[in-house]
Amino acid sequence: MSLVEVTDLTVEFGALRAVDGLSFRLAEGAALGLVGESGSGKSTVASALLGLHRGTGAAVGGSVRVAGTDVQAASDEELRRLRGGRAAMVFQDPLSSLDPYYAIGDQIAEVYRVHTRVSRRTARARAVQVLDRVGIPDPVRRSRSRPHEFSGGMRQRALIAMALACEPDLLIADEPTTALDVTVQAQILDLLHALREDTGMGLLLVTHDVGVAAESVDEVLVMRHGRLVEHGPVEAVLAAPAQPYTRELLGAVPRVEARRAVGHGSPGQDAGGSQPDGPRPAAEPSGEVVLEARGLRREFGRGKRAFAAVDGVSLTVHRGETLGVVGESGSGKTTLGRMLVGLLEPTAGEVRYEGRVSSGVNPTVQMVFQDPVSSLNPRRSVGESIADPLRARVRGVRGKDEARIRGRVTELLERVGLEAAHYDRYPHEFSGGQRPRVGIARALAADPRVIVCDEPVSALDVTTQAQVVALLGELQRELGLALVFVAHDLAVVRQVSDRVAVMRRGRVVEEGPADEVYESPRDPYTRQLLAAVPALDPAVAARRRAERRQPALA
């Protein structure tokens, strides 16, 4: 019997047809992955299953039946009973789905009471029960915590607990692991797998990450521009994709087991013809140390509450090379990057640039932030923000100087793949794929010798990710830049890095040439990170899942 039946679904937002004639079925207890790039219509389909487009002005056509409910014809009351009762949804950003003013347990209890009409005491007990089920430690105490007191992974678990409160037949998970580090991502995927085994619920997983789909579903449906491109068993589609677009999508996925190419190759490929062309210097990195960290330590808080986010880190960055820095959330990666740039003063230790002690912001060392747009003034055009470093060099900018500055900004915009007209646009007007390009242009305006990239491709789909990585590679070869590439995605880091430093709890636990660290990791923590990376082979994914059930590191 089908749990979900979608026939000729169309969703239009004005003149834009986001979903175009999509049909599929999901059997009871089965798992289907909707895979595609940003803008392919995946999330729009997920929302249509629960009738979330009703009242938004969207035009929805075709037929959608979920758990026996005709979503199109259902009354508002019938939809309320469906949502959270028979079918539940886990959204991409838990913080935007949870009320910041109320305790997590109270929010879960409220959902349970709406559908079951039980007492507050019973609902609270149910909230604690499902929090325990999703692996929240000390669930009684943590049920009284508010969302901001949970880590990213814990918030996602709490949202899954809320979805499970009424024992739904269908769980819709919309990008549930986006921007989570690799070990937390693995934990969430393992949790979804275990819940399916225990409850028999069906799963519709929306993701741009093909590896996540391989870990989690029985069938995969590939979407592009709102249409179905390919649909079949996950093993068959990933092993032998029938459609060129599916092959292109798979070809853009960085493999953690693939060595970085050493030849130039064709754009977007390695010597084997499948991997993104990552940042590579035009020549071998020189022996010259351009940036150095010596015993860096950074503490936050005071007294007994003080803790060291970075604790005694020493690193060198050579001219023309890429140093990758990996680790889980909270490992100190971003704090280290901010000290290298001069945005944070070390509590102890020092940063040296070209052999000299560097203090404060150094214009020759720039940073590309995880969300570049949030680092820009939303009330100024991006062109004006990019022009700031140029204006800083010229006092009393007027006339010809201003014209030259605007011309230089236009050159930078075009160099990173944007358009001259983008000068006058505001940060919120840029897409997810354009935003890193804005950040890169802003960094280049200072004519840097080193760029620290803090999660520059986090949350991007694989093809956009590959484009940004390729852009960094071109700029590095062209300008002789040194890059510090901070990321939690181990596969991307291997593709772009000459050397890799692995961080845990503020310290570097392993450092060396990228291939050496990935192929012969010495530290148990590095091995644990590598074991958590999603595999494109479902059989390998199942084996790794079993291995992760072994006792974790202390």
Side-chain angles (χ1 to χ4, degrees), residues 495-552:
Q495 298 307 313
V496 305
S497 302
D498 298 294
R499 292 186 298 116
V500 172
V502 182
M503 291 192 68
R504 186 187 190 207
R505 298 176 181 173
R507 298 184 176 185
V508 173
V509 297
E510 185 160 359
E511 181 188 358
D515 290 337
E516 182 179 306
V517 170
Y518 278 76
E519 293 173 11
S520 303
R522 300 185 304 275
D523 193 88
Y525 176 68
T526 308
R527 293 195 289 271
Q528 179 181 307
L529 284 180
L530 291 170
V533 176
L536 287 177
D537 185 336
V540 174
R543 188 186 74 240
R544 289 183 178 176
R545 188 184 305 116
E547 292 173 349
R548 289 196 295 266
R549 290 175 182 170
Q550 301 300 317

Side-chain angles (χ1 to χ4, degrees), residues 331-339 344 367 370 454-455 486:
S331 63
K333 307 185 304 295
T334 294
T335 302
L336 172 62
R338 288 173 179 265
M339 284 193 288
L344 283 175
M367 193 166 197
Q370 181 171 352
D454 184 16
E455 300 280 8
V486 177

Side-chain angles (χ1 to χ4, degrees), residues 411-473:
E411 290 175 8
L412 290 170
L413 287 170
E414 292 175 342
R415 182 63 192 84
V416 299
L418 298 173
E419 299 173 7
H422 287 146
Y423 185 106
D424 297 309
R425 288 193 184 179
Y426 289 86
H428 71 275
E429 297 180 272
F430 289 83
S431 68
Q434 291 174 323
R435 291 179 177 187
R437 297 175 184 270
V438 173
I440 294 169
R442 173 65 175 75
L444 291 176
D447 193 21
R449 295 295 175 265
V450 183
I451 296 182
V452 178
C453 303
D454 184 16
E455 300 280 8
V457 295
S458 175
L460 298 181
D461 62 60
V462 291
T463 49
T464 306
Q465 184 182 89
Q467 291 165 7
V468 173
V469 166
L471 171 62
L472 286 170

Side-chain angles (χ1 to χ4, degrees), residues 6 26 36 84 89 125 156 184 240 257 266 292 358 382 398-399 407 443 530:
V6 174
L26 176 64
M89 192 164 182
Q156 198 62 279
V184 177
E257 68 276 5
S266 57
E292 183 179 10
S358 178
V382 298
R398 284 184 177 82
L530 291 170

Side-chain angles (χ1 to χ4, degrees), residues 18-357:
V19 181
D20 190 2
L22 185 69
S23 299
F24 66 89
R25 292 188 176 191
L26 176 64
E28 292 182 350
L32 172 67
L34 294 186
V35 178
E37 298 172 279
S38 299
S40 62
K42 310 183 300 296
S43 293
T44 304
V45 173
S47 296
L49 296 187
L50 295 182
L52 296 179
H53 296 303
R54 184 171 294 187
T56 66
V60 182
S63 171
V64 177
R65 295 187 68 86
V66 177
T69 298
D70 185 335
V71 175
Q72 295 288 78
S75 65
D76 290 345
E77 178 59 30
E78 289 172 327
L79 280 182
R80 278 193 291 271
R81 287 199 297 269
L82 173 68
R83 298 167 183 164
R86 302 295 304 280
M89 192 164 182
V90 176
F91 293 91
Q92 178 173 345
D93 181 9
L95 268 183
S96 66
S97 306
L98 296 169
D99 193 315
Y101 293 102
Y102 291 94
I104 292 287
D106 290 342
Q107 297 186 56
I108 297 174
E110 182 64 23
V111 170
Y112 190 60
R113 291 190 70 214
V114 164
H115 290 280
T116 60
R117 310 288 183 181
V118 298
S119 67
R120 291 183 182 275
R121 180 186 294 271
T122 302
R124 285 283 304 176
R126 177 60 176 166
V128 171
Q129 183 182 31
V130 292
L131 284 171
D132 182 59
R133 178 65 192 85
V134 300
I136 300 290
D138 195 1
V140 175
R141 180 178 65 85
R142 297 313 299 266
S143 70
R144 296 189 288 269
S145 301
R146 286 171 172 76
H148 74 274
E149 298 177 275
F150 278 40
S151 67
M154 294 274 276
R155 283 194 291 265
Q156 198 62 279
R157 287 174 183 269
L159 209 57
I160 293 173
M162 185 181 293
L164 294 175
C166 298
E167 299 181 353
D169 300 313
L170 172 68
L171 180 65
I172 302 169
D174 186 5
E175 300 280 9
T177 62
T178 295
L180 296 179
D181 63 59
V182 65
T183 51
V184 177
Q185 174 179 264
Q187 292 166 9
I188 297 299
L189 296 179
D190 290 350
L191 172 62
L192 291 175
H193 183 82
L195 291 172
R196 281 187 59 215
E197 287 185 334
D198 293 348
T199 67
M201 69 177 182
L203 174 66
L204 183 77
L205 178 68
V206 176
T207 180
H208 65 254
D209 191 324
V210 183
V212 167
E215 290 264 349
S216 313
V217 301
D218 310 312
E219 295 187 357
V220 64
L221 189 157
V222 181
M223 293 187 67
R224 187 185 194 192
H225 303 323
R227 296 182 179 182
L228 185 153
V229 173
E230 189 162 356
H231 182 194
V234 64
E235 299 92 341
V237 172
L238 298 187
Q243 299 300 318
Y245 174 70
T246 310
R247 293 195 290 270
E248 178 184 326
L249 202 62
L250 287 170
V253 177
R255 268 77 161 178
V256 73
E257 68 276 5
R259 285 192 166 209
R260 181 183 181 188
V262 293
H264 290 286
S266 57
Q269 294 184 334
D270 67 4
S274 63
Q275 293 304 317
D277 191 19
R280 274 196 310 276
E284 289 296 316
S286 70
E288 180 187 358
V289 174
V290 63
L291 189 66
E292 183 179 10
R294 291 187 177 183
L296 284 187
R297 180 181 176 87
R298 174 68 192 201
E299 295 178 357
F300 292 96
R302 294 181 178 179
K304 293 181 179 179
R305 295 189 175 182
F307 72 97
V310 173
D311 187 8
V313 169
S314 297
L315 293 170
T316 57
V317 184
H318 298 84
R319 190 175 303 281
E321 80 165 346
T322 300
L323 173 68
V325 181
V326 299
E328 297 172 285
S329 298
S331 63
K333 307 185 304 295
T334 294
T335 302
L336 172 62
R338 288 173 179 265
M339 284 193 288
L340 292 177
V341 174
L343 295 176
L344 283 175
E345 286 292 328
T347 305
E350 62 185 22
V351 176
R352 288 178 167 264
Y353 176 74
E354 293 186 339
R356 297 183 298 275
V357 176

Side-chain angles (χ1 to χ4, degrees), residues 2-22:
S2 293
L3 179 60
V4 176
E5 296 182 33
V6 174
T7 306
D8 199 26
L9 174 64
T10 61
V11 182
E12 296 178 340
F13 300 95
L16 173 65
R17 177 165 285 196
V19 181
D20 190 2
L22 185 69

